[in-house]
Amino acid sequence: VQLQASGGGLVQAGGALRLSCAASGFAFDYYAIAWFRQAPGKEREGVSCINRSDGSTYHADSVKGRFTISRDNGKKTAYLQMDSLKPEDTAVYYCATGDPMYYCSDYLDERDFNSWGRGTLVTVSS
């Protein structure tokens, strides 16, 4: 299993970025994909998740209405569209996956995910 996150960068508050998570080495269609982030000095936080079957999604309250997760199974890639960025969104963002039976619901626990990509840094300036 390999996951590679990309698309991070420096953006001003109010701006937008789109992160990509390219997958290989497993049947992408059959797995939920999640995004987590970790800000300096803080614990890793679950941000968004998209399910494998019905494509339903979960977004943490801190990003709801601003971030949108999506997936393209043909390209084996998941995306995180981040709009209206705030300085508090500054963090290293990681994509992750776990057991094929996992279903995103109302909370993301990093212990449910056993495959992680290298992160991509997002910096939002005020």
Side-chain angles (χ1 to χ4, degrees):
V1 175
Q2 286 195 333
L3 298 169
Q4 180 62 55
S6 63
L10 174 63
V11 63
Q12 289 188 330
L17 282 174
R18 188 176 81 155
L19 305 184
S20 297
C21 176
S24 62
F26 67 106
F28 180 79
D29 308 36
Y30 292 93
Y31 289 77
I33 302 293
W35 286 95
F36 286 77
R37 67 185 181 185
Q38 188 165 23
K42 296 188 177 181
E43 293 185 353
R44 192 148 50 183
E45 171 192 19
V47 175
S48 302
C49 186
I50 185 165
N51 285 305
R52 64 180 180 95
S53 52
D54 56 9
S56 57
T57 61
Y58 159 84
H59 295 280
D61 287 344
S62 57
V63 305
K64 198 170 294 183
R66 300 187 298 121
F67 290 12
T68 304
I69 189 171
S70 62
R71 64 190 297 159
D72 184 331
N73 289 338
K75 294 183 178 180
K76 295 188 175 183
T77 302
Y79 303 97
L80 186 66
Q81 177 66 41
M82 307 186 296
D83 298 319
S84 303
L85 282 162
K86 304 175 181 180
E88 51 263 44
D89 294 318
T90 294
V92 177
Y93 284 72
Y94 301 89
C95 55
T97 192
D99 188 275
M101 297 304 295
Y102 179 80
Y103 188 83
C104 314
S105 55
D106 57 357
Y107 176 72
L108 295 178
D109 187 332
E110 62 178 300
R111 293 172 295 182
D112 290 324
F113 297 86
N114 54 21
S115 296
W116 295 80
R118 294 180 64 179
T120 185
L121 176 63
V122 173
T123 303
V124 185
S125 63
S126 57

